[in-house]
Amino acid sequence: MSDSFVLVINSGSSSLKFAVIDSQSGEAVLSGLGECFGLADARMSWKFNGQKSEIAVEGEENHHKLAIGKLVGLTEELGLASNIVAIGHRIVHGGEKFTKTVRIDEAVTAEIEKLADLAPLHNPAGAIGIRAAIEAFPALPQFAVFDTAFHQTMPEKAFTGAIASELYSEYGIRRYGFHGTSHYFVSREAAKMLNKPVEESSFISVHLGNGASVCAISNGNSVDTSMGFTPLSGLMMGTRCGDLDPGIIEFLMKKGWSQEKVFETLNKKSGFLGVSGITSDARGVLEAMEDGHEGAKLAFEVFTYRVAKYIGSYLIPLDHLDAVIFTGGIGENSLPIRREIMRNLKLLGFVEDEKGNEAARFGAAGIIGNSELLGAVALVVPTNEEFVIAQQSVELL
């Protein structure tokens, strides 16, 4: 264990995830969650040395500030405070302004707030977390790591929408992409596993969780990705619809649906939940499918088909393929979903390694299949976004 830790903060609209990360090993020394902010039962829970604890966050408002205040006391009580050298904030949207990790000052915070139009649920919350952390830890340098930054290497042909050009010039409407820290991390780890420089590698990274995205990575750079202007596009997800004919929005509004109802449905009542009719959780879908539930079976088929379809299409921006990388909660753990995706990739020559697929779960990395046709493998690489935030914060120190 090193003697330099980074406190990583991920501030949501009604929550606050935090972790104290060893900047060399990537180990989470302390991890926790503040939730139900804005409600009477706001609380914080954390895990340290295998022990779980929970406290209430009392007070009628400013729960982010109150929680970070409690976090100061917690790091001191656990003997971690003296080794924390920086604070890293996960910020969802950096627009075109932020193409890499930056040290936070008032101008950076104000710019993050200005980008709220692009991420109305996330960026204002991120700025609240930053301001509270600066007040609570005034002596520590603080850094912002952006979900969108990794994708700023996409060529213009990949990020440009087929829409009137003034929509881009006036409103910044284009493909931005998300999950950048995850795609960045697993591509570097995959290159190490294959003993090949990342600058000479080509990957298709498949992050499958409650949110899901695919990224084509050429020579270490993102060249295309499935999420777009918002995280709603691309793959089917836990509750998000993914790609959808925009004419459906107009159709529903003509039927009397409000704008709020349309987007509430597309964001929170679609995906696994919408198709299965029972749950947004992939594990629940698989269990129901085994019990013969038709909606669950269809959700499984739609999801795995769409993932495979994106993988196939993302061969286009690459000049060769070294590996398809599975990561995220579903990608790292769900053997049946990975198996079905590879079956759908049979025309590309992929064959499952059954023993490898069974072994590469619950934190274990490994090869789970290969394609002699493409000279590529299918890999599982557990992601560690907090480590990326910690590493990049320390590098900027």
Side-chain angles (χ1 to χ4, degrees):
M1 184 179 290
S2 72
D3 57 0
S4 65
F5 299 155
V6 176
L7 172 59
V8 174
I9 292 176
N10 181 358
S11 188
S13 56
S14 61
S15 65
L16 183 92
K17 292 180 183 175
F18 59 89
V20 174
I21 303 294
D22 185 311
S23 62
Q24 290 184 11
S25 71
E27 178 191 353
V29 182
L30 167 73
S31 60
L33 172 68
E35 55 190 332
C36 300
F37 288 1
L39 302 174
D41 60 343
R43 57 190 179 273
M44 271 176 69
S45 57
W46 64 89
K47 186 176 179 182
F48 179 71
N49 284 343
Q51 299 293 316
K52 294 182 179 179
S53 304
E54 183 174 309
I55 56 171
V57 180
E58 295 170 346
E60 294 182 5
E61 54 186 21
N62 295 328
H63 284 150
H64 287 84
K65 184 176 176 180
L66 291 168
I68 289 176
K70 290 183 182 295
L71 191 51
V72 176
L74 182 61
T75 58
E76 290 172 348
E77 181 187 325
L78 299 176
L80 304 175
S82 61
N83 289 333
I84 296 175
V85 297
I87 298 177
H89 295 264
R90 178 196 176 222
I91 303 298
V92 165
H93 220 304
E96 292 182 308
K97 175 79 175 177
F98 298 108
T99 61
K100 59 186 178 182
T101 298
V102 295
R103 187 161 181 163
I104 291 170
D105 56 20
E106 180 54 38
V108 167
T109 308
E111 194 64 39
I112 289 168
E113 288 172 327
K114 276 187 195 174
L115 290 166
D117 275 357
L118 300 181
L121 293 178
H122 297 95
N123 272 38
I128 289 169
I130 286 171
R131 293 190 186 282
I134 288 172
E135 188 173 334
F137 298 92
L140 288 177
Q142 310 212 15
F143 301 89
V145 182
F146 299 89
D147 264 15
T148 51
F150 180 56
H151 302 301
Q152 285 295 304
T153 52
M154 282 190 291
E156 199 170 13
K157 65 182 179 183
F159 72 68
T160 301
I163 52 176
S165 59
E166 59 263 28
L167 295 179
Y168 172 49
S169 59
E170 291 181 24
Y171 302 114
I173 297 175
R174 51 157 284 181
R175 182 178 301 280
Y176 288 102
F178 301 90
H179 291 142
T181 49
S182 178
H183 292 304
Y184 170 90
F185 177 80
V186 299
S187 60
R188 272 67 189 160
E189 292 299 300
K192 290 177 194 171
M193 289 170 68
L194 299 179
N195 197 26
K196 188 171 184 178
V198 72
E199 297 81 8
E200 299 171 13
S201 303
S202 285
F203 300 119
I204 296 173
S205 174
V206 186
H207 180 109
L208 304 179
N210 194 46
S213 67
V214 182
C215 181
I217 301 171
S218 178
N219 304 324
N221 295 321
S222 169
V223 291
D224 208 344
T225 190
S226 59
M227 284 181 168
F229 181 66
T230 74
L232 190 57
S233 69
L235 300 177
M236 167 180 161
M237 307 177 215
T239 63
R240 296 184 197 134
C241 61
D243 290 339
L244 186 77
D245 177 354
I248 293 169
I249 297 170
E250 180 190 30
F251 175 84
L252 290 173
M253 292 179 79
K254 282 182 175 179
K255 293 291 183 184
W257 284 43
S258 67
Q259 176 185 316
E260 290 75 15
K261 184 178 179 183
V262 170
F263 284 95
E264 172 87 4
T265 301
L266 299 184
N267 273 294
K268 298 182 178 178
K269 298 179 180 178
S270 300
F272 273 128
L273 177 60
V275 179
S276 73
I278 50 171
T279 181
S280 63
D281 186 83
R283 291 165 296 188
V285 166
L286 292 171
E287 288 169 7
M289 188 173 73
E290 288 175 8
D291 292 337
H293 191 283
E294 287 300 317
K297 181 174 182 287
L298 180 60
F300 171 82
E301 290 174 347
V302 172
F303 181 75
T304 52
Y305 172 70
R306 287 190 173 199
V307 173
K309 199 164 63 161
Y310 256 101
I311 292 171
S313 70
Y314 275 20
L315 289 171
I316 301 301
L318 304 177
D319 57 12
H320 72 282
L321 182 67
D322 292 304
V324 174
I325 308 166
F326 289 94
T327 194
I330 296 171
E332 293 171 26
N333 299 306
S334 182
L335 185 152
I337 285 176
R338 297 190 310 227
R339 173 171 290 154
E340 186 65 16
I341 291 167
M342 278 191 282
R343 281 179 184 157
N344 285 331
L345 294 172
K346 59 184 180 297
L347 190 61
L348 299 180
F350 277 96
V351 177
E352 178 193 3
D353 176 341
E354 292 188 10
K355 287 186 177 178
N357 200 9
E358 289 172 7
R361 289 189 291 170
F362 315 124
I367 294 174
I368 63 169
N370 71 85
S371 166
E372 290 186 11
L373 178 67
L374 297 175
V377 295
L379 296 173
V380 171
V381 181
T383 194
N384 191 340
E385 295 168 274
E386 290 80 10
F387 186 33
V388 174
I389 295 169
Q391 266 189 324
Q392 294 187 355
S393 298
V394 167
E395 282 169 12
L396 276 182
L397 275 176

